[in-house]
Amino acid sequence: MTAYQALARGAIEKARYFLAQAEYAERDPNISSARLPYLANLEAAIVSARSTLDHLKSEFTSKPGYRQWHDGEWRQLETNSVFNFISERRTWIVHRAAEKVNLTITMHAEMGAYATVTVNATVIRGKPWYKRSLKILLEDWRANRLRRLTVRQPARIPAPTLPIRPNVEDGQIFYFEDAQWRSKPALAFVGEYIDMVEKVVIGAEQKFP
């Protein structure tokens, strides 16, 4: 295995490592006021995954038939909207500015046997967001950023008389800022991108040993 090939395989492994670190950071209860661990690993995963294709080309370009194969694989990748979007994010990160994401907090609680409350809110970066505590952000969220409140209960049982069950589920997920890319968490799209790139790596390693 040459240095370039080691770099190509190493780059995709780094991308998966950074993705796992971003997933871990996303679960941090203080993430709304300390986003750096998440953002740094998100960006590193994107950049490492995209650089893998450059490393592959450097390794295999001298092998007969590789250029034609590579061009075909590239055209196939470009038919995938996720590949194009994340590749554009990589260019933005490297040449222009940091990635932009919004944090959505979800809280779900069951009250008694009949009432359910689900609250979703999006925390938009303030000025300066990094100086706000989680408590302040949650207060702002409750007061100004509430997007949806759904309560379901039968008329025969007043909700206030129902005890709150201990099983309250909370979640916090980052989504890309672009409206058309909010159908899944940002990390889900990045994971798909890494899978696509690694498929090309495996194909090259098998076809051009």
Side-chain angles (χ1 to χ4, degrees), residues 130-147:
Y130 52 82
K131 291 186 178 180
R132 294 187 176 187
S133 66
L134 178 60
K135 178 180 179 182
I136 293 175
L137 284 169
L138 287 175
E139 289 176 353
D140 291 342
W141 155 62
R142 292 190 181 101
N144 302 315
R145 306 296 183 182
L146 188 62
R147 300 181 63 190

Side-chain angles (χ1 to χ4, degrees), residues 26-202:
E26 193 173 42
R27 297 192 294 269
D28 187 338
N30 298 315
I31 191 63
S32 60
S33 58
R35 299 186 179 193
L36 181 59
Y38 174 88
L39 291 173
N41 284 290
L42 172 72
E43 293 178 359
I46 293 173
V47 172
S48 292
R50 176 58 184 83
S51 68
T52 300
L53 297 174
D54 296 328
H55 294 318
L56 269 182
K57 190 174 183 180
S58 297
E59 162 63 17
F60 294 106
T61 191
S62 62
K63 296 194 174 185
Y66 176 77
R67 282 183 175 273
Q68 183 178 1
W69 179 87
H70 175 89
D71 292 344
E73 292 295 309
W74 188 266
R75 286 192 297 270
Q76 182 63 31
L77 288 172
E78 288 184 324
T79 65
N80 189 296
S81 58
V82 173
F83 177 80
N84 292 328
F85 173 70
I86 300 299
S87 292
E88 290 172 1
R89 300 322 306 159
R90 178 263 181 188
T91 301
W92 178 272
I93 292 167
V94 172
H95 299 290
R96 300 189 65 179
E99 186 53 79
K100 295 180 179 180
V101 290
N102 288 333
L103 174 63
T104 294
I105 297 176
T106 300
M107 293 185 179
H108 176 82
E110 292 186 3
M111 298 189 296
Y114 301 101
T116 299
V117 175
T118 300
V119 178
N120 285 337
T122 298
V123 180
I124 308 297
R125 244 180 290 185
K127 293 183 178 180
W129 58 264
Y130 52 82
K131 291 186 178 180
R132 294 187 176 187
S133 66
L134 178 60
K135 178 180 179 182
I136 293 175
L137 284 169
L138 287 175
E139 289 176 353
D140 291 342
W141 155 62
R142 292 190 181 101
N144 302 315
R145 306 296 183 182
L146 188 62
R147 300 181 63 190
R148 185 177 57 147
L149 175 61
T150 305
V151 178
R152 301 191 305 273
Q153 61 184 52
R156 68 179 185 277
I157 300 180
T161 65
L162 298 174
I164 297 180
R165 292 181 180 178
N167 56 325
V168 177
E169 301 175 3
D170 297 341
Q172 47 191 22
I173 301 173
F174 282 98
Y175 294 87
F176 284 113
E177 193 174 63
D178 307 62
Q180 67 268 34
W181 293 99
R182 290 181 58 82
S183 61
K184 297 179 184 178
L187 294 181
F189 285 118
V190 176
E192 289 181 23
Y193 184 80
I194 294 173
D195 289 342
M196 284 185 278
V197 173
E198 186 167 27
K199 184 178 179 181
V200 177
V201 173
I202 294 172

